[in-house]
């Protein structure tokens, strides 16, 4: 198919990557109090790592690049210890290991992610407007 | 027989189209320097849109360097337009390159600035509108000259 919307591949990849990033943020926020995960340890914060992809160019040696999620990896910061002797997962000293999640950090990440998403939507909108104009060449 | 008339008409039209004079004449219709320059600028605004799309999709990628249409394009185009030679204008090959002057001052090595890119995106769209109108204007003038009707 001919590509009427220029750069739509990079934009689509970016929208997808941002959506995954948002999923990971919501997963982190949802598990902010999970003291025992599937592996028996407190939940570890997950983070996405972005990577550029050189797009297969049909013509010319263009430097335009797309984006992808290279991997989702665990944040290896130490868990937060809080004193709660009555807790099921408390150690002999009465301390409970809570996930290493900072809620403020997650909120900032979420806002950054949604702004990037919006920026990419603006690209699609403009690409569409440009395509409509191109199609009207020669009309009065 | 009607079916025999149409092929003969088509043969004549085909013969006319293939005559060297006709080809030269039709080429000449679309080789005014201004028309070619507008067309080239239109190509470049599409290309710049692609570059901006690439930059905005890599907004969060560490060590990504922003790309843009090579700066030499504008000087090349103004030289070519000044020379008034159609071949020179048609011969310009703009390309997307890494913008070496960009420095966003970010700690992750990425040189994309969101506000800057969005401004460039909108500016580019307006340029694209202008260029489509230039091309349309040139085509409408040609049509006026051929048909006598605006």
């Amino acid at each position: 198919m001919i590509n009427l919307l220029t750069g739509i591949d990079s934009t689509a990849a970016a929208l997808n990557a941002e959506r995954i990033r948002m999923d990971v943020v919501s997963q982190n926020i949802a598990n902010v109090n999970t003291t025992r995960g599937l592996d028996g340890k407190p939940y570890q914060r997950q983070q996405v790592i972005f990577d550029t992809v050189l797009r297969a160019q049909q013509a010319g040696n263009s430097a335009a690049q797309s984006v992808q999620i290279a991997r989702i990896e665990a944040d290896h910061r130490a868990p937060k210890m809080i004193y709660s002797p009555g807790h099921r997962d408390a150690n002999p000293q009465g301390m409970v290991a809570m996930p290493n999640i900072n809620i403020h950090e997650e909120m900032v990440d979420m806002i950054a992610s949604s702004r990037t998403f919006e920026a990419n939507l603006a690209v699609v909108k403009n690409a569409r407007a440009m395509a409509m104009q191109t199609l009207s060449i020669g009309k009065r | 027989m009607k079916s025999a008339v149409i092929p003969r008409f088509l043969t004549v039209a085909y013969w006319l189209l293939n005559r060297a004079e006709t080809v030269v004449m039709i080429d000449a219709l679309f080789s005014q320097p201004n028309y070619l320059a507008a067309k080239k600028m239109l190509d470049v605004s599409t290309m710049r849109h692609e570059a901006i799309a690439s930059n905005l999709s890599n907004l969060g990628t560490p060590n990504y360097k922003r790309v843009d249409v090579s700066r030499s394009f504008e000087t090349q185009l103004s030289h070519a337009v000044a020379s008034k030679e159609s071949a020179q204008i048609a011969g310009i090959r703009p390309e997307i390159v890494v913008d070496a002057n960009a420095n966003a001052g970010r700690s992750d090595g990425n040189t994309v600035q969101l506000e800057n890119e969005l401004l460039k995106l909108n500016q580019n769209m307006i340029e694209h509108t202008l260029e489509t109108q230039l091309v349309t204007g040139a085509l409408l003038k040609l049509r006026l000259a051929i048909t006598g009707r605006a």
Side-chain angles (χ1 to χ4, degrees), chain A residues 64-85:
Chain A
Q65 287 165 333
S66 184
V67 69
Q68 71 174 13
I69 295 213
R71 59 188 179 278
I72 300 175
E73 60 176 29
D75 184 337
H76 289 294
R77 278 180 285 185
K80 283 189 288 192
M81 304 302 286
I82 60 162
Y83 183 64
S84 177

Side-chain angles (χ1 to χ4, degrees), chain A residues 8-82:
Chain A
I8 199 74
D9 314 343
S10 334
T11 309
L15 290 175
N16 192 29
E18 290 304 326
R19 194 183 46 72
I20 293 172
R21 182 175 165 197
M22 191 75 96
D23 284 351
V24 170
V25 169
S26 64
Q27 184 187 324
N28 286 341
I29 294 178
N31 284 293
V32 73
N33 287 318
T34 308
T35 50
R36 195 189 293 181
L38 290 173
D39 53 356
K41 287 187 263 183
Y43 176 83
Q44 270 190 320
R45 176 177 179 267
Q46 302 291 310
Q47 55 190 356
V48 294
I49 309 292
F50 287 134
D51 205 358
T52 51
V53 193
L54 198 63
R55 278 175 37 213
Q57 287 300 318
Q58 55 272 60
N61 48 348
S62 162
Q65 287 165 333
S66 184
V67 69
Q68 71 174 13
I69 295 213
R71 59 188 179 278
I72 300 175
E73 60 176 29
D75 184 337
H76 289 294
R77 278 180 285 185
K80 283 189 288 192
M81 304 302 286
I82 60 162

Side-chain angles (χ1 to χ4, degrees), chain A residues 6-7 10-11 14 50-52 55 57 61-67 116 119-120 122-123 126-127 129-130 133-134 137-140, chain B residues 42 45-46 49-50 53-54 56-62 64 67 95-97 114 121-122 125 128-129 132 135-136 139-140 143 150:
Chain A
T6 38
S10 334
T11 309
F50 287 134
D51 205 358
T52 51
R55 278 175 37 213
Q57 287 300 318
N61 48 348
S62 162
Q65 287 165 333
S66 184
V67 69
T116 312
N120 279 288
V123 177
N126 281 21
M130 279 168 68
Q133 265 155 19
T134 309
I137 287 180
K139 287 188 192 147
R140 267 160 286 197
Chain B
L42 199 56
S45 65
T46 312
H49 182 86
E50 202 177 323
S54 167
L56 282 175
S57 57
N58 284 292
L59 203 55
T61 311
Y64 173 81
V67 293
E95 56 180 9
I96 298 180
V97 293
L114 175 62
L121 182 70
N122 283 300
M125 205 188 83
H128 186 270
T129 310
T132 44
V135 173
T136 303
L139 292 173
L140 287 179
R143 190 180 294 170

